[in-house]
Amino acid sequence: LSDFLGRPIGGDVQLNGRLQVGGSVRHPTADLEIASSPLRWGDVGGRAEGRVRWENAHLNVSDLKLTNGRSVVSLQGTIGWQDPQTGLWTADPLLKASLSSDHFDIQDWVNEITGALNIRAAVQGPLSDLQGTYQIASGELNTGVQTFSSVQFEGRLTGNTLHADKFIAALAPGQSIEGAGWFDFDQRFKARIAGKGIEISRIDAIRIDPPASGLLDVDLSGEGTLQQPLLNASVHVRNPRIGNQQWDDFHLRADMRDRQVAVEADLNFQLTARYNFDSGAFDVASNFEDTDLGPYLALLAGNHWSGRLSGTIHASGNRQAPEAVEARIALTQADLLFQQVKLLHLDSLQA
């Protein structure tokens, strides 16, 4: 196609088939039967076949199939440029189309993700005010970051707004993250995702040795615009344990508004932090009160290490001027042990 357009189009399409043209000058017709034809867009390739017909100012697509590996996607539809009431040509054509796939193997298109999707989607109406629905479902899905036992995604298109009416991502039977929301093409949005009682051992990023256990409650929400989002996050880890090491519950809350994020956390020590995305200014403070370092040392170096810490650590400055960052450390007690043998003890440290 780029041979005819005189410029690259970002892909390569080679059509094989038969084109028949007929009708009159005022009412032309065209019938294109596409035999299996190779196509490529970037690193993604596949084949297309089907039939496209032009008649009475309507473009009809009947069962156009796109295949790649084990994936098969079917598209049917029609788009008309004549007003059905007046017969006059319109700048806002009417569209009716559907897309479906009983087996859309994601790895055929994206190497980093494995799993197969079942897809159903349909739209109709003038291009300026399309209405539609979509359903996407999968069995086991590995995103490269997290494996889900199943995923469901259902929603609607109403004019310029895309709705996600139901989102369920299950890590295991009975343990899922659910959400809903909407996105408007003027870049406004509102969404919420939450999960409760999720076993820590199901989260791939926390699969460590010795193994971690506990229950995770998470609630994420946001609204506003992409340029000025209002975001809230709440995380609660109940009964956390690494190997035989029991922790107190973890709590974390984060809020973002006016492009500034604020974090408050109880991680067996108190942590507060602020960061401004526009100016680059930040402030971080932590307070330790005879904090057991065993869980953190187990994460970083193994469960043979242990220790306790009391004191405060504070840092502030601007990422655009790292040489001017100020940091203050005031420790009133610090102990570090390996296999119960004390390697380090401090009664006071100021820096």
Side-chain angles (χ1 to χ4, degrees):
L1 292 180
S2 58
D3 292 341
F4 294 95
L5 295 176
R7 59 181 175 82
I9 59 173
D12 184 15
V13 180
Q14 299 177 24
L15 293 181
N16 302 318
R18 181 169 60 93
L19 173 64
Q20 288 185 315
V21 178
S24 64
V25 174
R26 297 186 62 183
H27 300 287
T29 63
D31 201 327
L32 174 63
E33 291 187 11
I34 305 172
S36 183
S37 302
L39 55 86
R40 175 165 294 278
W41 193 276
D43 295 330
V44 178
R47 304 191 74 85
E49 61 179 305
R51 183 181 179 187
V52 180
R53 180 171 177 78
W54 171 266
E55 186 175 18
N56 296 327
H58 283 71
L59 184 67
N60 298 284
V61 178
S62 56
D63 201 22
L64 179 65
K65 290 191 183 307
L66 175 64
T67 60
N68 184 21
R70 293 171 294 177
S71 301
V72 180
V73 179
S74 297
L75 174 67
Q76 301 86 30
T78 180
I79 181 168
W81 277 267
Q82 274 188 334
D83 188 299
Q85 303 297 326
T86 65
L88 299 176
W89 286 71
T90 175
D92 194 14
L94 291 172
L95 172 67
K96 184 176 183 180
S98 64
L99 180 146
S100 64
S101 177
D102 293 326
H103 187 94
F104 186 92
D105 197 320
I106 301 176
Q107 198 169 27
D108 290 336
W109 313 88
V110 181
N111 291 330
E112 294 78 12
I113 303 176
T114 60
L117 304 179
N118 183 292
I119 303 173
R120 296 289 184 273
V123 294
Q124 63 179 0
L127 289 183
S128 62
D129 187 28
L130 286 174
Q131 310 292 313
T133 60
Y134 64 89
Q135 300 89 35
I136 302 173
S138 80
E140 184 171 299
L141 183 67
N142 186 343
T143 66
V145 177
Q146 177 63 47
T147 299
F148 299 96
S149 61
S150 66
V151 174
Q152 291 179 270
F153 202 14
E154 297 182 7
R156 298 164 290 127
L157 173 66
T158 57
N160 291 324
T161 304
L162 184 65
H163 301 264
D165 296 322
K166 181 170 74 171
F167 170 73
I168 303 175
L171 284 76
Q175 299 188 46
S176 61
I177 299 172
E178 302 185 13
W182 55 264
F183 176 79
D184 195 279
F185 296 149
D186 65 4
Q187 298 191 334
R188 293 179 300 119
F189 75 96
K190 185 175 184 179
R192 182 186 178 194
I193 298 176
K196 189 170 184 179
I198 298 171
E199 294 179 7
I200 293 293
S201 59
R202 300 287 184 181
I203 301 176
D204 294 348
I206 312 181
R207 289 186 177 175
I208 57 175
D209 186 24
S213 62
L215 297 176
L216 172 67
D217 301 334
V218 59
D219 194 329
L220 310 175
S221 62
E223 61 181 303
T225 67
L226 295 182
Q227 292 76 23
Q228 291 287 341
L230 304 177
L231 306 176
N232 303 100
S234 174
V235 178
H236 179 199
V237 181
R238 294 179 276 141
N239 303 317
R241 177 185 291 271
I242 291 183
N244 296 321
Q245 179 72 50
Q246 180 71 46
W247 299 10
D248 292 333
D249 286 7
F250 287 164
H251 300 268
L252 182 146
R253 181 172 182 82
D255 300 283
M256 177 177 171
R257 63 180 58 244
D258 298 326
R259 296 186 55 78
Q260 177 171 285
V261 62
V263 178
E264 295 183 359
D266 181 353
L267 308 173
N268 292 323
F269 65 93
Q270 303 301 311
L271 172 70
T272 60
R274 292 183 181 276
Y275 177 73
N276 189 293
F277 287 93
D278 292 328
S279 68
F282 68 87
D283 186 277
V284 182
S286 55
N287 182 45
F288 303 87
E289 295 183 3
D290 196 28
T291 299
D292 183 4
L293 300 179
Y296 302 100
L297 294 171
L299 276 173
L300 296 173
N303 57 8
H304 296 299
W305 293 87
S306 60
R308 306 192 80 84
L309 181 66
S310 295
T312 60
I313 300 175
H314 180 258
S316 61
N318 193 296
R319 63 176 173 80
Q320 300 180 23
E323 71 283 354
V325 171
E326 296 182 358
R328 297 189 300 275
I329 301 175
L331 302 183
T332 58
Q333 177 215 351
D335 291 293
L336 180 64
L337 298 86
F338 180 75
Q339 293 184 336
Q340 303 304 315
V341 177
K342 187 173 292 187
L343 303 180
L344 175 68
H345 172 77
L346 292 174
D347 288 323
S348 178
L349 174 65
Q350 302 283 334

